[in-house]
Amino acid sequence: MILGLILLVVVAGAGYVSYRLYSILPENTAPSQAEYPQAALDLLKVSIVEDDIVIPGWLQLCYSAARKLFYRLPYEKYRQVSRLGEWHQNWIFVALWVGSNWSQHEILTTLLHEQRYDHKWKGLELASQQFFGVSVYELSIPEIAVLIANIQSNSAYDPWCYRDKVQQKASKILIAYQKVVPNLVFDSNQMFSRLRLREDKFCETEARE
């Protein structure tokens, strides 16, 4: 009798979660097939885990990927799944689904490919060309760290307007990366040596001066 009740609860719970996932997952749930340097994947991973305080690192990665899946939804459906009270619950369901269906490599690759940099350029490759004028495969590790810092906040970590702040953030990411790869050697002075000039860039700091 007790085992039957337990089984009924488990089946009902699984059915409820399946129904919720069916109603909130976008049609395109496949991970990105783009390829990026391993250093970019590793730097993104340590930046997410380093910033995490409460949520375990693996779940934080899944949670971030769940956000990107929601961004693929049509606007009206996105509003429906983002209603107050259901928002975090939906994200947790999708995050657990991502963790069960995607590899860590696929999660990191999708995050780099779906991300918008400087609010304009989608994907790390295009961002690399726009920020530094070269392919991401030609970037130094400090330059990749600058782009990873920009993921945290396109505005607050804009390398054209807030270079000191970006340098601090990128340095923090590099220090965390060195804990994973102790023999890593890089030159922090390379962070902005190839950063392209943008005549159309207007910064709030300039407006106040």
Side-chain angles (χ1 to χ4, degrees):
M1 181 68 177
I2 295 177
L3 289 177
L5 288 173
I6 294 175
L7 181 60
L8 181 62
V9 170
V10 170
V11 171
Y16 173 72
V17 171
S18 297
Y19 167 75
R20 289 294 298 274
L21 286 172
Y22 175 79
S23 65
I24 61 181
L25 278 174
E27 293 182 4
N28 180 16
T29 57
S32 172
Q33 298 301 310
E35 291 296 333
Y36 297 109
Q38 186 60 45
L41 301 178
D42 293 339
L43 286 167
L44 175 60
K45 179 181 176 181
V46 299
S47 73
I48 292 175
V49 174
E50 184 73 12
D51 282 345
D52 176 59
I53 299 175
V54 179
I55 304 176
W58 71 270
L59 184 55
Q60 183 69 12
L61 290 174
C62 297
Y63 196 73
S64 299
R67 292 181 61 186
K68 297 305 176 186
L69 278 181
F70 280 153
Y71 292 159
R72 295 178 182 179
L73 288 169
Y75 178 68
E76 288 302 320
K77 191 171 183 181
Y78 180 80
R79 286 181 59 189
Q80 293 175 7
V81 301
S82 299
R83 286 177 298 184
L84 189 63
E86 297 182 9
W87 189 55
H88 286 293
Q89 189 181 70
N90 286 330
W91 271 10
I92 291 172
F93 281 147
V94 176
L96 293 175
W97 181 89
V98 167
S100 301
N101 291 274
W102 292 7
S103 68
Q104 186 176 102
H105 178 87
E106 289 173 331
I107 290 174
L108 293 168
T109 298
T110 300
L111 289 173
L112 291 175
H113 187 67
E114 296 283 344
Q115 177 65 32
R116 287 195 178 276
Y117 301 77
D118 194 44
H119 296 297
K120 297 180 180 179
W121 308 302
K122 181 179 178 181
L124 188 65
E125 175 61 31
L126 183 56
S128 174
Q129 294 173 13
Q130 296 296 328
F131 277 94
F132 295 103
V134 297
S135 168
V136 66
Y137 284 94
E138 300 176 58
L139 293 181
S140 66
I141 289 179
E143 289 171 333
I144 295 177
V146 169
L147 296 182
I148 298 300
N150 187 250
I151 290 177
Q152 306 299 313
S153 173
N154 298 145
S155 300
Y157 294 105
D158 183 332
W160 284 296
C161 299
Y162 307 106
R163 182 170 296 195
D164 291 343
K165 192 173 182 179
V166 173
Q167 185 172 12
Q168 292 177 4
K169 182 65 177 179
S171 296
K172 182 180 178 182
I173 294 171
L174 290 171
I175 290 172
Y177 187 38
Q178 278 188 310
K179 296 177 183 177
V180 180
V181 189
N183 297 325
L184 179 68
V185 177
F186 58 85
D187 182 1
S188 296
N189 294 324
Q190 294 177 339
M191 281 187 191
F192 307 107
S193 59
R194 291 193 290 183
L195 185 66
R196 299 175 66 187
L197 297 177
R198 284 186 59 194
E199 295 180 356
D200 63 324
K201 188 66 180 180
F202 181 80
C203 302
E204 294 180 3
T205 51
E206 294 174 352
R208 290 195 296 265
E209 292 175 353

